Amino acid sequence: MRIDQPWLKDRATQAVCEAVTADGAQVLFVGGCVRNSLLGEPVSDMDIATDARPEQVMELAARAGIKAVPTGIDHGTVTLVKNGIPHEITTFRKDVATDGRRAVVAYSTDIAEDAHRRDFTMNAIYARPDGEVVDPLGGLADLTRRRVRFIGTAENRIREDYLRSLRYFRFHAWYGDHAEGFDADALAAIAANLDGLVSLSKERVGAELLKLLAAPDPAPSVAAMQQAGVLGQILPGADDRSLAPLIHLETGRVASGIRRLAALGGEDLQKALRLSKAQASHLEAIREAAVGTAGAGELGYRLGAEKALDALLLRAALLEQPLSLSLETDIELGANAKLPVKARDLLPDLKGPELGAALKKMEADWIASGFSLSRGELLDSLR
């Protein structure tokens, strides 16, 4: 079997391959670029495995006039940039020791050893620069069936890095066959190693969960997470009951990981996941608005179109209610509206608390009118 994709034939990518193999080293594409190409999915990152050592890769790149960045040289990774395209080159590795959060690795010259240290069989499929597929662990059969399966013993893979429990659900959400269900051995191993999740950094957990929630339909995976005890371990108090209704309501709209996270609820999501300030602010705003009573126009005016839509989709999912047919129109009306009265229009007759109260009343009247009251009408209402 061969991969025949435009990214593989790109002159810059082929130039990188020629540079690294100039002295006889092997180069093989691996991971997402191979997996996604075989599935007919978009390819965003290019990972390349080689038996050349990092210092050799740096020397070979310099000889070929290709920019080399030691992005992870201590772990065997060098990024070669050609025509603006980054190619992450990592030396074959084998695990020496692990503590559940990170592994101690040694370089290898054996592709089978490199394959065995990866997480899932579908991520251990390689391809040569000419597109020939190399499948040392039989991952192609699992990929064809869209079966997410740990390499070797699931429990051993998880204990090497407990984040793999979350990665399992994320990969199933994106690439698994929901009709076939989940691998029983994987679920059993995940449930037996819940305590290991507390050793992970909150940032890693948050990033992994948001990637999972960005899948077209993460509801089956999140439901399995809840049944296995994972959801409660990483998000105390969370519940997935509103997630599937939300995803149904999102049909035809852009998915949002933060919106879906808000549907799960839970106690102090910022603390549990170490979200960025922007993510935490967005989450808090839409959760507060979702349990309020403000309409689409008012939320569009106060929050902007994106947050208003998130809040109203979330509200409908929580209350199990249908959406208004004019939802987006009403939101946009509010988002584009500007209060026609300013504080200076009320000076010097009103000052201090009286000025603030008058502006608040006029704003409320203006919103209630569907943003139709004019400046003159609002000023007249105070007389």
Side-chain angles (χ1 to χ4, degrees), residues 173-238:
W174 280 98
Y175 307 111
D177 182 348
H178 297 320
E180 184 173 317
F182 297 82
D183 183 79
D185 290 339
L187 291 181
I190 289 169
N193 287 277
L194 294 178
D195 290 346
L197 294 172
V198 301
S199 68
L200 299 172
S201 74
K202 305 301 184 184
E203 290 85 355
R204 292 183 76 199
V205 172
E208 194 65 35
L209 183 58
L210 287 174
K211 289 177 184 178
L212 188 162
L213 291 174
D217 183 7
S221 286
V222 175
M225 286 174 66
Q226 179 151 323
Q227 292 171 358
V230 174
L231 189 62
Q233 186 79 333
I234 62 173
L235 290 181

Side-chain angles (χ1 to χ4, degrees), residues 47-331:
D47 293 326
I48 298 175
T50 181
D51 54 359
R53 296 296 182 95
E55 58 274 14
Q56 292 176 279
V57 173
M58 299 279 286
E59 292 172 6
L60 290 163
R63 189 192 307 171
I66 297 174
K67 179 180 179 181
V69 183
T71 46
I73 198 164
D74 291 342
H75 305 288
T77 300
V78 177
T79 299
L80 302 191
V81 183
K82 178 72 173 177
N83 292 356
I85 302 174
H87 304 77
E88 194 168 276
I89 318 289
T90 303
T91 303
F92 291 164
R93 296 176 294 177
K94 59 183 178 181
D95 287 335
V96 175
T98 61
D99 63 4
R101 292 180 298 170
R102 61 185 66 84
V104 177
V105 300
Y107 296 137
S108 172
T109 57
D110 185 350
I111 188 175
E113 287 185 331
D114 188 72
H116 272 100
R117 70 169 303 275
R118 298 179 183 273
D119 48 12
F120 310 115
T121 57
M122 63 170 56
N123 289 338
I125 307 172
Y126 299 73
R128 302 189 192 281
D130 64 359
E132 179 188 357
V133 173
V134 180
D135 184 19
L137 304 183
L140 189 57
D142 287 331
L143 183 66
T144 301
R145 292 177 55 190
R146 288 187 174 265
R147 181 186 180 198
V148 184
R149 188 167 65 87
F150 281 103
I151 292 169
T153 303
E155 188 147 359
N156 290 343
R157 295 286 80 74
I158 290 169
R159 289 182 175 178
E160 289 167 356
D161 183 352
Y162 291 109
L163 191 70
R164 286 174 173 171
S165 290
L166 299 184
R167 283 174 60 82
Y168 174 80
F169 293 110
R170 192 243 292 188
F171 273 82
H172 205 285
W174 280 98
Y175 307 111
D177 182 348
H178 297 320
E180 184 173 317
F182 297 82
D183 183 79
D185 290 339
L187 291 181
I190 289 169
N193 287 277
L194 294 178
D195 290 346
L197 294 172
V198 301
S199 68
L200 299 172
S201 74
K202 305 301 184 184
E203 290 85 355
R204 292 183 76 199
V205 172
E208 194 65 35
L209 183 58
L210 287 174
K211 289 177 184 178
L212 188 162
L213 291 174
D217 183 7
S221 286
V222 175
M225 286 174 66
Q226 179 151 323
Q227 292 171 358
V230 174
L231 189 62
Q233 186 79 333
I234 62 173
L235 290 181
D239 192 291
D240 74 322
R241 72 182 70 184
S242 297
L243 182 59
L246 174 62
I247 292 168
H248 174 72
L249 292 168
E250 289 176 344
T251 302
R253 299 177 173 88
V254 177
S256 163
I258 291 294
R259 181 201 302 149
R260 291 170 172 183
L261 178 60
L264 297 179
E267 304 165 8
D268 198 347
L269 299 183
Q270 163 63 1
K271 181 179 179 181
L273 303 176
R274 293 289 194 276
L275 302 174
S276 70
K277 289 183 178 179
Q279 290 171 329
S281 175
H282 191 128
L283 184 69
E284 182 180 359
I286 65 175
R287 290 181 73 178
E288 183 178 340
V291 297
T293 59
E298 181 175 356
L299 289 180
Y301 167 67
R302 298 194 184 282
L303 301 180
E306 180 185 0
K307 290 179 182 176
L309 179 60
D310 285 350
L312 291 166
L313 287 169
L314 179 58
R315 180 188 294 173
L318 294 172
L319 299 177
E320 299 183 354
Q321 292 180 344
L323 295 172
S324 165
L325 295 177
S326 61
L327 179 68
E328 274 88 355
T329 301
D330 294 340
I331 289 174

Side-chain angles (χ1 to χ4, degrees), residues 1-3 33-40 125 133 140 143:
M1 179 177 288
R2 290 181 182 274
I3 290 174
C33 59
V34 178
R35 178 195 65 234
N36 285 20
S37 292
L38 292 169
L39 289 174
I125 307 172
V133 173
L140 189 57
L143 183 66

